[in-house]
C-alpha cells in the first residue's frame, strides 16, 4: 500500500528547461558584444547552471551565490563587464534573468488532471513535492499554477538539511512514513528513480521523451524500471498496486 507519493518539480510538474532556454536565448540575442553564437551561449549557461547548482546542493555556497558564480563566468562571454559588487550581480539576476524566466514558466498539461485523479482515489496517498530547488522559487511555481493545495508538504534541502539522494530518507521521516510505502515520481532516471530505489522507495520514471540534462532523446532504461509517459497514467498504476 502506497502511503506517500513524492513528486519531483522541475521537468516533472513545471517545464524548467524550456523556460531557461527561452530566457537565455532572449538575453544573448539582444547582446551586441557577445563573443560566441547564441546557441553556444545558451548551452554555456545551461552548463554553468548545472555546475554551480551542484555547489549549492553540496553546501559550498548559498543559492544567491550560485547565481553570482554563474554570472561571473557568463558575462565575459556575453561581452559585458563583471561587477565586483555582489549587489550588482544580484540586481542583474533579478532584473534581466528572473523576471523573464518567471514569465516563461509553464505547467505541463497532465499535472492537474493527475493530481485531481489521485485526490479522488478511495484510498489515495498523501502527496508531497521533493525538490532540490530553492524553496521560495519552487513554492512560487506551484502557487502560480494553483498546485500548492494538492500537497501536504514542499520539501527542499532547506527543510531537510540534504539534497537528493540523501533527502529521500529525510523526506520519509518528515512525512512519517516508511520508505517501503513511499513512491517517488520524476523525470530523471538516475536521480529520481534509481537513487530513490536505493533508498528503499519505489521510483517511477516519468519519461517525457527528452533528457533533462542534454536536451536529447531519453536515456535507455532497464526493463525493470517502472515507466510512464504521462502523469495521468500514475493514478491507474497506483490503483492497481494498492488493490
Amino acid at each position: 500500500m502506497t502511503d506517500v507519493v513524492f513528486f519531483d518539480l522541475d521537468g516533472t510538474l513545471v517545464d524548467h528547461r524550456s523556460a531557461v532556454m527561452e530566457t537565455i536565448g532572449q538575453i544573448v540575442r539582444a547582446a551586441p558584444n557577445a563573443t560566441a553564437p547564441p546557441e553556444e551561449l545558451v548551452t554555456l549557461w545551461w552548463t554553468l547552471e548545472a555546475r554551480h547548482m551542484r555547489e549549492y546542493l553540496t553546501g559550498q555556497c548559498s543559492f544567491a551565490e550560485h547565481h553570482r558564480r554563474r554570472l561571473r563566468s557568463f558575462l565575459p562571454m556575453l561581452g559585458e563587464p563583471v561587477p565586483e559588487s555582489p549587489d550588482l550581480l544580484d540586481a542583474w539576476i533579478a532584473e534581466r534573468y528572473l523576471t523573464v524566466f518567471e514569465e516563461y514558466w509553464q505547467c505541463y498539461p497532465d499535472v492537474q488532471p493527475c493530481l485531481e485523479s489521485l485526490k479522488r482515489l478511495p484510498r489515495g496517498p498523501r502527496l508531497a513535492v521533493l525538490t532540490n530547488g530553492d524553496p521560495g522559487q519552487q513554492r512560487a511555481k506551484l502557487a502560480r499554477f494553483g498546485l500548492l493545495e494538492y500537497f501536504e508538504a514542499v520539501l527542499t534541502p532547506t527543510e531537510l538539511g540534504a539534497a537528493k539522494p540523501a533527502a529521500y530518507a529525510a523526506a520519509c521521516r518528515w512525512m512519517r512514513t516508511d520508505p517501503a510505502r513511499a513512491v517517488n515520481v520524476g523525470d530523471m532516471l538516475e536521480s529520481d528513480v534509481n537513487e530513490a530505489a536505493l533508498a528503499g522507495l519505489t521510483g517511477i520514471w516519468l519519461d517525457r521523451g527528452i533528457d533533462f540534462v542534454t536536451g536529447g532523446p531519453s536515456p535507455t532504461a532497464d526493463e525493470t524500471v517502472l515507466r510512464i509517459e504521462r502523469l495521468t497514467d500514475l493514478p491507474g498504476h497506483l490503483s492497481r498496486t494498492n488493490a
Side-chain angles (χ1 to χ4, degrees):
M1 178 73 69
T2 300
D3 176 36
V4 174
V5 176
F6 294 107
F7 287 86
D8 173 54
L9 201 161
D10 293 319
T12 299
L13 304 179
V14 174
D15 188 352
H16 173 83
R17 182 184 173 88
S18 292
V20 171
M21 295 304 186
E22 291 287 351
T23 302
I24 294 301
Q26 180 173 314
I27 289 171
V28 301
R29 286 192 296 271
N33 299 316
T35 62
E39 60 272 15
E40 289 185 22
L41 292 174
V42 171
T43 300
L44 172 64
W45 180 268
W46 187 252
T47 301
L48 292 170
E49 174 174 319
R51 178 188 304 162
H52 296 302
M53 187 67 174
R54 283 194 297 270
E55 293 170 352
Y56 160 66
L57 294 174
T58 55
Q60 298 177 49
C61 65
S62 67
F63 191 76
E65 178 60 24
H66 113 278
H67 270 144
R68 296 175 197 134
R69 291 181 179 186
R70 196 191 312 179
L71 197 53
R72 290 184 187 109
S73 297
F74 189 71
L75 283 177
M77 300 299 295
L78 205 60
E80 296 187 18
V82 180
E84 293 186 9
S85 165
D87 290 343
L88 291 177
L89 292 168
D90 293 345
W92 195 103
I93 288 290
E95 296 165 11
R96 293 182 59 184
Y97 179 71
L98 290 179
T99 54
V100 181
F101 175 57
E102 291 172 8
E103 290 178 4
Y104 281 113
W105 287 349
Q106 289 190 359
C107 180
Y108 292 106
D110 55 0
V111 174
Q112 195 153 12
C114 166
L115 298 175
E116 283 290 331
S117 296
L118 290 174
K119 191 166 69 172
R120 292 193 296 266
L121 289 178
R123 292 182 289 175
R126 296 180 292 140
L127 308 181
V129 171
L130 179 56
T131 169
N132 280 345
D134 172 71
Q137 188 177 83
Q138 300 301 65
R139 286 184 173 85
K141 291 174 185 175
L142 295 169
R144 164 84 63 86
F145 302 110
L147 301 179
L148 275 173
E149 65 184 76
Y150 293 99
F151 299 105
E152 185 174 317
V154 179
L155 302 176
T156 75
T158 298
E159 289 80 17
L160 300 176
K164 293 185 278 189
Y168 288 119
C172 289
R173 290 193 297 270
W174 185 286
M175 296 296 291
R176 304 174 307 283
T177 194
D178 189 280
R181 300 184 64 202
V183 167
N184 190 71
V185 181
D187 65 298
M188 299 281 280
L189 179 59
E190 185 59 32
S191 60
D192 291 325
V193 180
N194 295 339
E195 290 179 352
L198 289 174
L201 293 76
T202 298
I204 296 180
W205 181 32
L206 174 61
D207 179 8
R208 291 200 179 277
I210 184 174
D211 185 291
F212 182 83
V213 175
T214 68
S218 299
T220 301
D222 184 275
E223 61 183 13
T224 62
V225 169
L226 298 175
R227 174 183 169 275
I228 57 176
E229 294 183 351
R230 298 166 295 276
L231 278 177
T232 44
D233 295 334
L234 180 65
H237 174 82
L238 294 177
S239 294
R240 291 190 295 273
T241 58
N242 286 350

